[in-house]
Amino acid sequence: MISFDESLADVSWADRIDLFRFALASSLVAGLVCPLVGVFLHVRRTSFYGIALPQFATAGVVFGFAMLPWWVAHVGLGDLALETALSDTHAAMNYHFAWAAVFTFGGLLALLWTGRKSQGSEIGRVAAAFAIANAATYVFGRM
């Protein structure tokens, strides 16, 4: 029986770094960019956007799952069959990222548009948008 320590002894640190180079690079980029965005949101007193916009992205991903059978039948999803797209969640990852981006930027544009049209509280508008996105996530999930 080979123990855990003996099986890792065969892999050098260079191979480990090569294997995880994209994960390490993306972690470094996120570690540099996310604090800057967080400070910007905090200084502008719009930190609630950091909660509302990911909720829009979640609603987009769930909407993408609800639309997946129709999308594969009418538009197509590369060479993927519906069974492959539903059983292997990584196969349709770009499809779900696209829906998340559409919902996130759509929510941001809606918040900007309502901010220009009304005189109410910005925090109230963002809180209402968060509640709507949360409800949309549940509704799309039930579909």
Side-chain angles (χ1 to χ4, degrees):
M1 175 179 255
I2 297 175
S3 70
F4 181 72
D5 295 330
E6 291 174 8
S7 65
L8 287 179
D10 297 344
V11 181
S12 69
W13 278 103
D15 290 337
R16 292 177 190 178
I17 290 174
D18 186 51
L19 180 64
F20 294 108
R21 68 182 178 271
F22 293 118
L24 292 170
S26 63
S27 297
L28 288 173
V29 170
L32 293 172
V33 173
C34 289
L36 297 174
V37 173
V39 166
F40 176 73
L41 291 174
H42 180 71
V43 167
R44 292 198 58 205
R45 296 189 181 270
T46 56
S47 58
F48 197 51
Y49 279 100
I51 298 170
L53 293 177
Q55 192 63 39
F56 277 112
T58 304
V61 169
V62 174
F63 181 78
F65 273 109
M67 290 296 296
L68 189 60
W70 180 89
W71 191 272
V72 169
H74 292 88
V75 179
L77 193 61
D79 294 334
L80 292 177
L82 180 60
E83 294 80 23
T84 306
L86 288 174
S87 65
D88 184 13
T89 56
H90 290 348
M93 186 159 308
N94 290 336
Y95 166 82
H96 295 298
F97 281 150
W99 279 112
V102 166
F103 271 62
T104 301
F105 289 119
L108 186 58
L109 288 174
L111 285 170
L112 290 173
W113 182 72
T114 58
R116 294 179 192 263
K117 296 287 183 184
S118 66
Q119 298 296 326
S121 168
E122 182 178 7
I123 295 172
R125 282 191 302 274
V126 176
F130 173 77
I132 290 169
N134 194 19
T137 302
Y138 292 123
V139 169
F140 296 148
R142 294 296 297 169
M143 291 171 57

